[in-house]
Amino acid sequence: MRSYFGHQATKDMILPDRAYAFFSHTHKAQKENMPLLYKILAERASLYDYELIVGGHGKRLLAFGKYAGRAGIIDFLCGLGQRYLSLGYSTPFLSLGSSYMYPSLAAAKAAVISVGEEIASQGLPSGICPLVFVFTGSGNVALGAQEIFKLLPHSFVEPSRLPELFGKGRNLNSPVRTSKRVFQVYGCVVTSRDMVEYKDPSKTFDKADYYAHPEHYNPVFHEKIAPYATAVVNCMYWEKRFPRLLSTQQVQDLMRKGCPLVGISDITCDIGGSIEFVNQTTSIDLPFFRYDPLTDSYHHDIEGNGIICSAVDILPTEFAKEASQHFGDILSQLVGGLASTTDITKLPAHLKRACIAHRGALTSLYEYIPRMRNSDTEDISYNLANGQSNKKYSVLVSLSGHLFDQFLINEALDIIEAAGGSFHLVKCQVGQSTSAMSYSELEVGADDRDVLDQIIDSLTSIANPSENHGIVSQEMNKIFLKVGKLQETGVKKEFDTKKRTSVLILGAGRVCQPAAELLASIGSSSSRQWYKACLETDFEEQHDVHVIVASLYLKDAEEIIQGIPNATAVELDVTDHRTLCEYISQVEVVVSLLPSSCHVVVANVCIELKKHLVTASYVDNSMSMLDEKAKSAGITILGEMGLDPGIDHMMAMKMINQAHVRKGKIKSFTSYCGGLPSPAAANNPLAYKFSWNPAGAIRAGRNPATYKSQDETVHVNGDDLYDSAVRFRIPELPAFALECLPNRNSLTYGEMYGIGHEASTIFRGTLRYEGFSEIMGTLVRIGLFDAEAHPLLEHGSRPTFRAFLCELLEINTEAMGEALVGEKEITERIVKLGHCKERRTAIQAAKTIMFLGLHEQTEIPVSCQSAFAVTCHRMEERLAYSSTEQDMVLLHHEVEVDYPASQQTEHHTATLLEFGKAKNGKMISAMALTVGVPVAVGALLLLVNKITTRGVLRPIDPEVYVPALDILQAYGIKLTEKTE
């Protein structure tokens, strides 16, 4: 039973002492929805809400959103083919039907895949390229739409890079189409920060502030995104207090300026909503209308001027069988328990959580409803500046997020009341869907300043939890917090009660955010447990840590600290000695995440001002030479405090030292480490992606290597490195088919770890998925990584990628004419030229070349003067992680130990496996976590004097690695050890 709960008919259906399950929406505590809830309570009935049945992954179990997204985008692609035909272009989309025309979702997907194959082989007409699909929203609807879109050959681009698709430096509102056929489509996922900007130009976008005060922001979607969109796929929730995505006036202005917008797929079917000119729904059999902005007129055909619009409000019914089966299969597992259980305490947690009322009484999770309703929010104009609070101290707290559907408001109110404080609801705006945010302003008061401090600290802990100790682990369980000015008897003060210790982080790259978050959490209740357990220090005596993030560009630093308490962003050029000294003088510890070439400059200032320094970079000769100066200054310079180097040192030294304590002798030490795509993201022929500049990674991957095997020293030239890869599987991770490349000079690690004289095997390698080296070796032999300037690229008109590839493969382009260079032709040339021994490898290399688009008839950029530059350019474009893809870090040590006294041999292993994590709407890479967290741990150990040795150090001494490994484990970086 689906009901709009305010309707009298629904109320009349409620019978005494019965249990009901439907979409009631009453948990949002809205005034107009209360009559239904009151009726249920009066009739001693029970109410279960489908919307609140949530699985362990934090997502609704009963929902149709993905089916709406899937059907909506298929219908739109079908209409797009017809629309382009009316404009004189024949496209592969013409072969696609509407969703309801296919017997199953699988059949519809197969049809889309077929369209994608035609795009990949034949390309799209140059006159309509590039095709850019802009997706709004992040819920099930958006995921469903993107699922279908990804079946086409595609690339996702960040909003800021949209102008590059149409040519840099062109008029923003008059993008120029490409003159070449394009063999893929482009996707762009936009969030609220891409749709609006702060009215005050000195301020940057703040998500919590935007949900609280949308009136502070101007719409910019029509300026920054829409001018480059072929289609807008609207999957977001919108309410009137927010700026529209596109107003009628804005789209009229855009179309007059030549905007390439062809159509709108309004899957939300939000009539007159975020897209103002979508003023009517459409039907399954007539899914489109045409809006002509120039005449402000509507038409029911798609042949004429204007934009085609789809707004079908029953999209899931187009996949009726699958959608119903999906809903029914889940509901059938639940309905028995709902119907037969009289004691809700015996229900599974996900069903008990969905029970709003039981036998005429609200359940404990939903007791916030009367608490919220008892305060009349409609006519309150409560001014804190007038000192109207009945408590001595008060502060205005803004909360935004999924406050009501995830019970975060319940927790916030409990925190306030449990501490003896009071709250007054000043403002409340409730989201109308599970994907929408809600917002509340509370005046929080207390008679004791310490009590108010405790309340704010507790509220901050639920807004900014650690990865493993907080209540928030997923996007839906997120709360945003802003704390206003403290009021004391009518006098305003800044809310800041604790003395702070400061850390300066130099550099605002990918690694910075995890480091800043850990350090800024020190002093909050969320860090209390692991802090005291790991450091054996009385938590109450410690101060908050204030983190200063400095970057050459202020914007980068501001993006890093967004949502992080106790953090400040500053602009700093490290070559400006005076300013660098000024900032370093204000802090106790400096963390440098700058390129290694900058560390000596920073280190010398730290020595001069007697401040500790931590880096994640290798300790090179220039840093080692500062050892005596650092000792004389009484400071520690702690280097190699990342992943590799860093955690690898710590894990190795723990194993080695434990063996030595037991009088063991290290017989063999092998270490493997690699940053890889997660298995799900390894979706290209190389099974590899770059999270940083491919050029640096490729150069690093071709360095010569030296290692020891059974007392023999083995040297591998850089050119032969890919041929020396060893295939293996780690026993702890049998599902991963891996290979390992020797990594530089392993013998130096034998000396560093004190095992060079005893171990017959010392090997360190870089991990890749199986097959990577064979393909890369083939590409090297083809000449795709030659660094010398190539004559074809130096002068005159720019060649196409196809022409350059044909040159390298010695393909006679005159004989071929305009014929396509495909996988078969590339494979045959690789085999004939002897670039690889096995045909299987040649096929995979050809697939890689095709995936990188090196066969395309598009011009090579002027910046590319060598084959190496050409290949890196394409790798950076095609082998990048999308915003939702996870990377993976795997570090594995194996140590074989002989014990002469007992004549026994033990095999020790230590493994770290970490995946990227979604946080605050974006993906934090595993590499950033495993580098950023250790470097922050190093800073923390120096702050609390756990490291007392002075000079230039690595984390190879127990003083460093023992507490560091404990903190890493407690913070959620899992290290597994085994002994056999």
Side-chain angles (χ1 to χ4, degrees), residues 476-684:
M476 289 294 291
N477 287 340
K478 193 178 299 169
I479 189 169
F480 299 91
L481 173 75
K482 287 192 75 174
V483 178
K485 307 290 186 179
L486 179 74
Q487 304 298 308
E488 180 180 355
T489 61
V491 179
K492 289 188 178 182
K493 293 183 182 179
E494 291 287 343
F495 187 82
D496 187 7
T497 63
K498 294 185 178 181
K499 182 180 178 181
R500 290 177 171 179
T501 300
S502 296
V503 174
L504 173 65
I505 300 179
L506 300 173
R510 296 181 178 92
V511 173
C512 183
Q513 187 170 346
E517 285 182 340
L518 186 150
L519 289 168
S521 73
I522 304 304
S524 69
S525 59
S526 62
S527 66
R528 188 183 307 267
Q529 184 177 354
W530 63 262
Y531 183 102
K532 191 169 184 178
C534 297
L535 297 176
E536 299 177 350
T537 302
D538 189 352
F539 183 91
E540 268 39 358
E541 294 180 0
Q542 302 307 313
H543 302 308
D544 283 349
V545 175
H546 180 221
V547 178
I548 302 171
V549 176
S551 173
L552 182 61
Y553 302 104
L554 180 61
K555 182 181 177 183
D556 293 341
E558 289 175 335
E559 288 181 359
I560 291 294
I561 69 165
Q562 187 174 10
I564 301 178
N566 301 334
T568 302
V570 299
E571 186 175 303
L572 173 62
D573 182 347
V574 293
T575 63
D576 182 346
H577 183 76
R578 183 188 64 79
T579 307
L580 181 63
C581 289
E582 179 184 335
Y583 280 114
I584 291 179
S585 68
Q586 299 173 23
V587 304
E588 283 67 44
V589 177
V590 177
V591 174
S592 178
L593 301 176
L594 297 169
S596 57
S597 58
C598 301
H599 291 334
V600 171
V601 173
V602 176
N604 279 309
V605 176
C606 287
I607 291 170
E608 178 185 343
L609 299 175
K610 296 180 169 52
K611 307 293 183 179
H612 301 302
L613 172 65
V614 186
T615 82
S617 302
Y618 285 101
V619 176
D620 59 15
N621 288 335
S622 61
M623 290 292 281
S624 297
M625 291 173 63
L626 298 176
D627 182 54
E628 289 301 324
K629 287 185 178 180
K631 288 176 179 176
S632 298
I635 70 163
T636 299
I637 297 176
L638 178 59
E640 302 188 11
M641 197 65 188
L643 168 68
D644 176 8
I647 299 178
D648 59 340
H649 290 328
M650 295 186 261
M651 291 170 60
M653 291 309 300
K654 180 182 178 182
M655 300 166 76
I656 291 168
N657 284 344
Q658 285 176 344
H660 284 165
V661 167
R662 296 172 55 204
K663 308 301 182 185
K665 177 184 177 182
I666 306 301
K667 182 179 178 182
S668 171
F669 173 81
T670 54
S671 173
Y672 315 99
C673 186
L676 301 164
S678 67
N683 49 11
N684 61 66

Side-chain angles (χ1 to χ4, degrees), residues 128-140:
I128 65 173
C129 292
L131 260 64
V132 180
F133 290 73
V134 173
F135 296 87
T136 68
S138 58
N140 282 331

Side-chain angles (χ1 to χ4, degrees), residues 858-889:
T858 52
E859 286 185 2
I860 295 174
V862 177
S863 59
C864 297
Q865 297 290 311
S866 67
F868 181 81
V870 170
T871 306
C872 288
H873 170 75
R874 274 298 156 119
M875 283 185 161
E876 188 169 6
E877 284 185 341
R878 304 292 173 91
L879 296 179
Y881 287 92
S882 76
S883 59
T884 58
E885 286 181 328
Q886 290 179 301
D887 72 326
M888 178 181 82
V889 164

Side-chain angles (χ1 to χ4, degrees), residues 80-89 91 128 131 177 230 262:
L80 195 62
Q82 298 171 38
R83 176 58 175 163
Y84 276 134
L85 185 63
S86 74
L87 297 174
Y89 298 99
T91 67
I128 65 173
L131 260 64
R177 295 289 197 176
T230 304
V262 174

Side-chain angles (χ1 to χ4, degrees), residues 23-43:
F23 289 107
S24 76
H25 307 283
T26 53
H27 69 283
K28 296 174 182 176
Q30 293 139 304
K31 181 179 179 181
E32 63 271 25
N33 306 334
M34 290 303 97
L36 174 62
L37 183 58
Y38 296 152
K39 176 69 172 178
I40 287 170
L41 297 176
E43 296 294 347

